[in-house]
Amino acid sequence: MSANPLTFSSHGSLPQHNIGADPLEAASSKVPQVALAFWIIKIAATTLGETGGDALSMTLNLGYLVSTVIFMACFLIALAVQVRAKRFHPFLYWTVIVTTTTVGTTMADYADRSLGVGYVGGSLILFALLMTVLGIWRHSVGSVSFTNISSPKVEIFYWITILFSNTLGTALGDFLADTSGVGYERGALVFAGALTLVAAAYFFTRVSHTILFWTAFILTRPLGATLGDLLTKPRENGGLDLSRISSSLAIAVFMVACILLTRQAPGRHPGEQYRKPE
């Protein structure tokens, strides 16, 4: 078995292994390689974001606003540590990811249920914000198709994009499962099917891999949201009625095991070009 995990390239051709890439450049990156393990842990993190966010706002009855403030503070602290870090730390990276998913859960719920914006209105606002951030990122740096995440400027753009994409994904998941009446189980199947189509487009079309990456990144969030609700919502509402706190702890343990058991080396994200061996 090859030791090189499959990663995204910027070309429309089939993906290539990270062969011949500059090891010093890869080592300077502060994000993990985008391989199968990345997506498994990402889906687990989004599911944890849903159960953890609901545990604080609903089970502990702190409300959406207070929970959002708490999770936003956790995100800013984790982000500051991540940006100041000199190299890639797997547990630090995934901690920041989880904080974006938890604050995304409570922000989306606050906008819909407290402010009355609704999931459709909230999704449109978040989509506009996400496109604005990507536009500013592209204008400021030259492209969102980056080779590695190592400078503070690019890293901050990266995390703000992730924050908005995870919040948008939460609103989309709740809209499909709750408002449209599709339900949690079928909603999860819809988003899993959408991710399958993105994967097929990656392997068999020449669509930009950067676009496909961010599309997949957004879609993993509503998949996690519907899975989290499926686990914890009452049975009469289509859920399994499991404890939000115990479910969150179990998912956190699963994430830790995945990080420990998989190769979490500093690597590359989409938009990179790879050199084949001479």
Side-chain angles (χ1 to χ4, degrees):
M1 181 181 294
S2 172
N4 296 308
L6 199 62
T7 57
F8 283 96
S9 72
S10 60
H11 303 297
S13 58
L14 290 178
Q16 301 174 19
H17 289 281
N18 189 13
I19 300 175
D22 185 353
L24 294 178
E25 183 181 348
S28 69
S29 180
K30 292 169 63 179
V31 297
Q33 287 182 317
V34 181
L36 178 61
F38 175 90
W39 295 112
I40 293 174
I41 300 173
K42 173 61 167 61
I43 294 172
T46 60
T47 308
L48 175 58
E50 186 71 18
T51 59
D54 288 348
L56 201 65
S57 62
M58 298 180 186
T59 303
L60 299 182
N61 201 29
L62 294 183
Y64 301 122
L65 179 58
V66 173
S67 298
T68 297
V69 172
I70 292 173
F71 286 130
M72 182 61 74
C74 292
F75 165 68
L76 293 175
I77 293 171
L79 177 60
V81 177
Q82 168 70 19
V83 172
R84 289 176 61 87
K86 301 300 183 184
R87 59 185 179 86
F88 170 64
H89 299 277
F91 284 102
L92 176 58
Y93 174 87
W94 288 109
T95 295
V96 186
I97 289 287
V98 170
T99 61
T100 66
T101 61
T102 51
V103 75
T105 295
T106 55
M107 277 201 300
D109 288 341
Y110 179 70
D112 174 66
R113 299 168 188 174
S114 299
L115 298 181
V117 175
Y119 287 121
V120 175
S123 296
L124 292 174
I125 293 172
L126 288 165
F127 181 77
L129 290 172
L130 179 60
M131 292 300 102
T132 300
V133 171
L134 287 171
I136 296 173
W137 183 355
R138 180 181 179 86
H139 177 75
S140 177
V141 179
S143 173
V144 298
S145 187
F146 40 83
T147 56
N148 62 73
I149 302 296
S150 55
S151 73
K153 183 178 183 179
V154 173
E155 191 169 7
I156 289 173
F157 275 123
Y158 174 82
W159 287 111
I160 293 176
T161 302
I162 286 178
L163 176 62
F164 283 132
S165 67
N166 278 331
T167 309
L168 172 61
T170 301
L172 290 174
D174 288 343
F175 168 74
L176 186 67
D178 293 329
T179 307
S180 68
V182 171
Y184 306 120
E185 184 174 353
R186 285 179 294 179
L189 291 175
V190 167
F191 290 117
L195 282 169
T196 301
L197 292 177
V198 173
Y202 171 70
F203 282 103
F204 302 114
T205 73
R206 301 186 67 85
V207 176
S208 165
H209 288 175
T210 299
I211 293 176
L212 292 176
F213 169 80
W214 287 113
T215 301
F217 203 96
I218 292 171
L219 288 174
T220 56
R221 183 62 187 96
L223 174 59
T226 51
L227 289 175
D229 285 338
L230 177 64
L231 291 174
T232 61
K233 293 297 183 182
R235 293 183 183 275
E236 56 268 25
N237 294 337
L240 299 177
D241 202 20
L242 301 178
S243 165
R244 295 186 181 102
I245 295 176
S246 60
S247 295
S248 298
L249 292 174
I251 297 169
V253 170
F254 173 77
M255 282 188 64
V256 170
C258 287
I259 295 171
L260 291 174
L261 295 175
T262 60
R263 183 176 178 236
Q264 289 290 296
R268 302 162 184 272
H269 273 224
E272 300 175 303
Q273 298 183 12
Y274 299 96
R275 293 183 289 108
K276 293 181 180 180
E278 298 289 329

